Amino acid sequence: MERTARDAIGSQVSIENISKAYGTVLAVDNVSFVVGKGEFVSLLGPSGSGKSTLLMMIAGFEMPGSGSIRVGERDITNVAPNKRGIGMVFQRYALFPHMTVAQNIAFPLKMRGATRAEIDRRVEAALALVRLEAYGHRMPSQLSGGQQQRIAVARALVFEPPVLLMDEPLGALDKKLREEMQIEIKSLQQRLGVTVIYVTHDQEEALTMSDRVAVMSNGRLVQIGSPLDLYEQPETPFVADFIGKMNFLRGEFIGGDEQCAVIGLPGDVKIEAQGLHGTAAQFATGKPVDIAMRPERLTLHRRGLGGDSAIPGTVETAIFAGSFHTVFVRVEGAADPVHVQLPASGLGVGYGAGDSVDVVVDRGAVKVFAAEV
């Protein structure tokens, strides 16, 4: 089953204006995007965002109220699940407990009428693919959670589907095994060139594994882009808050443009920012705005040493997290303390509760959103 990029088995998936309602609740609201051939795209969002419902419609287990789904040039919107030729991996593995590992993997091939010789060859290749060659005779109950998940992946890939759907497949694993499986699945996907659509609520998992991430909220596609684009250039406060850690402060727009805007904060503090997200009318002088800042893009100085645009505050506490320290700083007008992430050596050492400090941020690291009032 080893393949080169030229031999990639993946197909393009086109989602066009898909909607799905349950009574008066619109679970998926007019979603459109394209997953490229051999691409790994994650559907990311909180519970109730519509990501699993969308995946179930691609799989054929739910029917859309409107819109269409295409795999390659084939419209599969109304095609039965078993006729779509799509692989599926669930969170709970769904292995048949009365079958051996080899029999589980062979099952999709038997349903497709493959010969005995072809089944044996493909099962052997699939076991090698997930590095469990010696486990074919075992029962699922004799495997660890990680091994069961590998077998579930092997079963989904054994008939070489053009698209593999994965619905929170690592949710039942512990943190260390989950991180190991993330790398294994991504590596496997890259070797095979299969198109993967992966549902998760874990933003770190989505950033680690995906070529692109589709962020969903309340049934809508809020933003889609590479992990780096979403992290560095969030288009809404929701995406900024959901992808990674973010500090938010309420201020008012004083003047300027996307290249250099001036924002006023409580305590007669003025900071410069780049990147305005909203309409010109929302950024009129005196209008409320929310600024967003990543903890690792902030630095700390002793009070009075941070310069004219520093935000003064008082340290509440500091915690050590291995490779970095997080210092929590209370600033005027903020409901929550500002999180400042500093390297474990050097700058992160020496700040404690009650210290008077200046929080300093480069203007290129500040995102400005029109405030929802």
Side-chain angles (χ1 to χ4, degrees), residues 31-232:
V31 170
S32 297
F33 63 94
V34 175
V35 181
K37 180 178 180 179
E39 190 177 20
F40 193 122
V41 170
S42 288
L43 304 180
L44 175 68
S47 297
S49 61
K51 58 189 186 297
S52 290
T53 300
L54 179 57
L55 194 79
M56 291 300 103
M57 287 191 283
I58 300 171
F61 299 127
E62 295 280 358
M63 298 304 296
S66 60
S68 65
I69 302 167
R70 303 184 70 87
V71 173
E73 298 301 316
R74 183 185 179 213
D75 189 329
I76 63 166
T77 310
N78 297 306
V79 175
N82 63 324
K83 302 295 184 183
R84 297 191 178 202
I86 290 176
M88 187 87 190
V89 180
F90 299 93
Q91 179 176 342
R92 295 294 176 183
Y93 322 134
L95 299 178
F96 299 117
H98 63 288
M99 294 183 182
T100 66
V101 163
Q103 290 168 340
N104 264 280
I105 296 173
F107 185 78
L109 298 173
K110 286 186 175 181
M111 293 298 98
R112 287 165 173 79
T115 64
R116 181 74 262 170
E118 178 71 1
I119 289 173
D120 290 344
R121 182 185 68 81
R122 290 207 180 193
V123 168
E124 183 179 354
L127 284 168
L129 195 66
V130 295
R131 306 201 313 273
L132 291 173
E133 296 95 322
Y135 288 73
H137 66 285
R138 296 197 184 187
M139 303 302 290
S141 61
Q142 297 175 302
L143 305 181
S144 69
Q147 290 168 338
Q148 289 187 52
Q149 192 57 283
R150 285 191 207 173
I151 297 304
V153 171
R155 185 178 63 182
L157 290 173
V158 72
F159 64 96
E160 299 186 346
V163 178
L164 178 62
L165 307 180
M166 308 187 84
D167 189 11
E168 307 223 30
L170 308 182
L173 305 181
D174 63 59
K175 187 178 189 309
K176 187 175 186 300
L177 183 55
R178 185 184 184 114
E179 291 172 350
E180 292 174 356
M181 286 296 297
Q182 289 170 10
I183 296 170
E184 286 198 23
I185 289 173
K186 179 60 179 176
S187 176
L188 187 61
Q189 182 264 339
Q190 289 177 324
R191 295 205 311 272
L192 292 177
V194 65
T195 302
V196 172
I197 303 177
Y198 187 102
V199 162
T200 180
H201 66 274
D202 185 325
Q203 44 98 356
E204 289 185 9
E205 184 167 275
L207 295 180
T208 298
M209 302 179 71
S210 311
D211 298 313
R212 287 189 300 153
V213 179
V215 182
M216 297 189 66
S217 176
N218 296 320
R220 292 176 176 265
L221 178 62
V222 182
Q223 186 176 349
I224 184 169
S226 72
L228 182 61
D229 285 343
L230 293 178
Y231 192 84
E232 296 290 348

Side-chain angles (χ1 to χ4, degrees), residues 234-237 240 248 275-278 283 288-292 367-371:
E235 295 176 358
T236 68
F248 288 92
L276 307 180
H277 299 273
F283 292 119
V289 295
D290 289 318
I291 65 169
K367 308 301 176 189
V368 184
F369 300 96

